[in-house]
Coordinates of all heavy atoms in Angstrom, one line a residue:
G13 N 0.8 -1.2 0.0 CA 0.0 0.0 0.0 C 0.8 1.3 0.0 O 0.3 2.3 0.3
V14 N 2.1 1.2 -0.4 CA 2.9 2.4 -0.4 C 3.1 2.8 -1.9 O 3.6 2.1 -2.7 CB 4.3 2.1 0.2 CG1 5.2 3.4 0.1 CG2 4.2 1.7 1.6
P15 N 2.6 4.0 -2.3 CA 2.7 4.5 -3.6 C 4.2 5.0 -3.8 O 4.6 6.0 -3.3 CB 1.7 5.7 -3.7 CG 1.5 6.1 -2.3 CD 1.8 5.0 -1.4
P16 N 5.0 4.3 -4.6 CA 6.4 4.6 -4.7 C 6.7 6.0 -5.3 O 7.6 6.7 -4.9 CB 7.0 3.5 -5.6 CG 5.9 2.6 -6.0 CD 4.6 3.1 -5.4
Q17 N 5.9 6.4 -6.3 CA 6.1 7.8 -6.9 C 6.0 8.9 -5.9 O 6.8 9.8 -5.9 CB 5.1 8.0 -8.1 CG 5.3 7.1 -9.3 CD 6.6 7.3 -10.0 OE1 7.3 8.3 -9.8 NE2 6.9 6.4 -10.9
R18 N 4.9 8.9 -5.1 CA 4.8 9.9 -4.1 C 5.8 9.9 -3.0 O 6.3 10.9 -2.5 CB 3.4 9.9 -3.5 CG 2.3 10.5 -4.4 CD 1.0 10.6 -3.7 NE 0.3 9.4 -4.0 CZ -0.8 9.0 -3.4 NH1 -1.3 9.7 -2.4 NH2 -1.5 8.0 -3.7
G19 N 6.2 8.7 -2.7 CA 7.3 8.5 -1.7 C 8.6 9.1 -2.1 O 9.3 9.7 -1.4
R20 N 8.9 8.8 -3.4 CA 10.2 9.3 -4.0 C 10.2 10.8 -4.0 O 11.1 11.5 -3.7 CB 10.4 8.7 -5.3 CG 11.7 9.1 -6.0 CD 12.0 8.5 -7.3 NE 10.9 8.3 -8.2 CZ 10.6 7.2 -8.8 NH1 11.4 6.1 -8.7 NH2 9.6 7.2 -9.7
A21 N 9.1 11.4 -4.5 CA 9.0 12.9 -4.6 C 9.1 13.5 -3.2 O 9.8 14.5 -3.0 CB 7.7 13.3 -5.3
S22 N 8.4 12.9 -2.2 CA 8.5 13.4 -0.8 C 9.9 13.3 -0.3 O 10.4 14.3 0.4 CB 7.6 12.6 0.1 OG 6.3 12.7 -0.3
A23 N 10.6 12.3 -0.6 CA 12.0 12.1 -0.1 C 12.9 13.2 -0.8 O 13.8 13.8 -0.1 CB 12.5 10.7 -0.4
I24 N 12.7 13.5 -2.0 CA 13.5 14.5 -2.7 C 13.2 15.9 -2.2 O 14.1 16.7 -1.9 CB 13.3 14.4 -4.2 CG1 13.9 13.1 -4.8 CG2 14.0 15.6 -4.9 CD1 13.5 12.9 -6.2
R25 N 11.9 16.1 -1.9 CA 11.5 17.4 -1.3 C 12.2 17.6 0.0 O 12.8 18.7 0.3 CB 10.0 17.5 -1.1 CG 9.3 17.8 -2.3 CD 7.8 18.1 -2.0 NE 7.0 17.9 -3.2 CZ 6.3 16.8 -3.5 NH1 6.2 15.8 -2.7 NH2 5.6 16.8 -4.6
Q26 N 12.2 16.6 0.8 CA 12.8 16.7 2.1 C 14.4 16.9 2.0 O 14.9 17.7 2.7 CB 12.5 15.5 3.0 CG 12.9 15.6 4.4 CD 12.1 16.7 5.1 OE1 10.9 16.9 4.8 NE2 12.7 17.4 6.0
L27 N 14.9 16.2 1.1 CA 16.4 16.3 0.9 C 16.8 17.7 0.4 O 17.7 18.3 1.0 CB 16.9 15.3 -0.2 CG 18.3 15.4 -0.7 CD1 19.2 15.1 0.5 CD2 18.6 14.5 -1.8
V28 N 16.1 18.3 -0.6 CA 16.4 19.6 -1.1 C 16.2 20.7 -0.1 O 16.8 21.8 -0.1 CB 15.8 20.0 -2.4 CG1 16.3 19.0 -3.5 CG2 14.3 20.0 -2.3
L29 N 15.2 20.5 0.9 CA 15.0 21.5 1.9 C 16.1 21.5 3.0 O 16.4 22.5 3.6 CB 13.7 21.3 2.6 CG 12.5 21.7 1.7 CD1 11.2 21.3 2.4 CD2 12.5 23.1 1.3
Q30 N 16.7 20.3 3.2 CA 17.7 20.1 4.3 C 19.1 20.3 3.8 O 20.0 20.6 4.5 CB 17.5 18.8 5.0 CG 16.3 18.7 5.8 CD 16.1 17.3 6.4 OE1 16.8 16.4 6.1 NE2 15.2 17.3 7.4
A31 N 19.4 19.9 2.5 CA 20.7 19.9 2.0 C 21.3 21.3 1.8 O 20.6 22.2 1.4 CB 20.8 19.1 0.7
P32 N 22.6 21.5 2.1 CA 23.2 22.8 1.8 C 23.4 23.1 0.4 O 23.7 24.2 0.0 CB 24.5 22.7 2.6 CG 24.8 21.2 2.6 CD 23.5 20.5 2.7
A33 N 23.4 22.1 -0.5 CA 23.7 22.2 -1.9 C 22.4 22.7 -2.6 O 21.3 22.4 -2.2 CB 24.1 20.9 -2.5
P34 N 22.6 23.5 -3.7 CA 21.4 24.0 -4.5 C 20.8 22.8 -5.2 O 21.4 21.8 -5.5 CB 22.0 25.0 -5.4 CG 23.5 24.8 -5.4 CD 23.8 24.1 -4.2
A35 N 19.5 23.0 -5.6 CA 18.7 22.0 -6.2 C 19.4 21.4 -7.5 O 19.4 20.2 -7.6 CB 17.4 22.6 -6.6
P36 N 20.0 22.2 -8.4 CA 20.6 21.5 -9.6 C 21.7 20.6 -9.2 O 22.0 19.6 -9.9 CB 21.1 22.7 -10.4 CG 20.3 23.8 -10.0 CD 20.0 23.6 -8.5
V37 N 22.5 20.9 -8.2 CA 23.6 19.9 -7.7 C 23.0 18.6 -7.3 O 23.4 17.5 -7.6 CB 24.4 20.6 -6.6 CG1 25.4 19.6 -6.1 CG2 25.1 21.8 -7.1
I38 N 21.9 18.7 -6.5 CA 21.2 17.5 -6.0 C 20.6 16.8 -7.2 O 20.7 15.5 -7.3 CB 20.1 17.9 -5.0 CG1 20.8 18.4 -3.7 CG2 19.3 16.7 -4.7 CD1 19.9 19.0 -2.7
A39 N 20.0 17.5 -8.1 CA 19.4 16.8 -9.3 C 20.4 16.1 -10.1 O 20.2 14.9 -10.5 CB 18.8 17.9 -10.2
K40 N 21.6 16.7 -10.3 CA 22.6 16.0 -11.1 C 23.1 14.7 -10.3 O 23.3 13.7 -10.9 CB 23.8 16.9 -11.3 CG 24.9 16.3 -12.2 CD 26.0 17.3 -12.6 CE 27.0 16.7 -13.5 NZ 28.0 17.6 -13.9
A41 N 23.3 14.8 -9.0 CA 23.7 13.7 -8.2 C 22.8 12.5 -8.3 O 23.1 11.4 -8.2 CB 24.0 14.1 -6.8
L42 N 21.4 12.9 -8.3 CA 20.4 11.8 -8.4 C 20.0 11.4 -9.7 O 19.2 10.4 -9.9 CB 19.2 12.3 -7.6 CG 19.4 12.6 -6.1 CD1 18.1 13.1 -5.4 CD2 19.8 11.3 -5.4
G43 N 20.4 12.1 -10.8 CA 20.0 11.8 -12.1 C 18.7 12.3 -12.6 O 18.1 11.8 -13.5
Y44 N 18.3 13.4 -11.9 CA 17.0 14.1 -12.3 C 17.4 15.4 -13.1 O 18.4 15.9 -13.0 CB 16.3 14.5 -11.0 CG 15.6 13.3 -10.4 CD1 16.2 12.6 -9.4 CD2 14.3 12.9 -10.7 CE1 15.6 11.5 -8.8 CE2 13.7 11.9 -10.1 CZ 14.3 11.2 -9.1 OH 13.7 10.1 -8.5
H45 N 16.4 15.8 -13.8 CA 16.5 17.1 -14.5 C 16.4 18.2 -13.5 O 15.7 18.2 -12.5 CB 15.4 17.3 -15.5 CG 15.7 18.4 -16.5 ND1 15.4 19.7 -16.2 CD2 16.2 18.3 -17.7 CE1 15.7 20.5 -17.2 NE2 16.2 19.6 -18.2
D46 N 17.3 19.3 -13.6 CA 17.3 20.3 -12.6 C 16.0 21.0 -12.5 O 15.6 21.5 -11.4 CB 18.4 21.3 -12.9 CG 18.3 22.0 -14.2 OD1 17.5 21.6 -15.1 OD2 19.1 23.0 -14.4
K47 N 15.2 21.2 -13.6 CA 13.9 21.8 -13.5 C 12.9 21.0 -12.6 O 12.1 21.6 -11.9 CB 13.3 22.1 -14.9 CG 14.1 23.1 -15.6 CD 13.4 23.4 -17.0 CE 14.3 24.5 -17.7 NZ 13.7 24.9 -18.9
T48 N 13.0 19.7 -12.7 CA 12.1 18.9 -11.9 C 12.4 19.1 -10.4 O 11.5 19.2 -9.6 CB 12.4 17.4 -12.2 OG1 12.1 17.2 -13.6 CG2 11.5 16.5 -11.4
V49 N 13.7 19.1 -10.0 CA 14.0 19.2 -8.6 C 13.7 20.7 -8.2 O 13.3 20.9 -7.1 CB 15.5 18.9 -8.4 CG1 15.9 19.1 -6.9 CG2 15.7 17.4 -8.7

């Protein structure tokens, strides 16, 4: 009963709010497009 898509987006949101690096750096590290992050 865990929707993986929402869980992944929630985890990324939490990461970018807590991480000292800007969003594009995190996007590149995770393999996401910078606009998505």
Side-chain angles (χ1 to χ4, degrees):
V14 177
Q17 293 291 349
R18 281 189 265 169
R20 182 173 43 224
S22 296
I24 294 171
R25 281 187 199 101
Q26 192 63 36
L27 175 65
V28 295
L29 288 175
Q30 291 181 345
V37 173
I38 294 170
K40 185 174 181 178
L42 296 177
Y44 285 90
H45 193 277
D46 61 349
K47 290 184 181 185
T48 301
V49 176

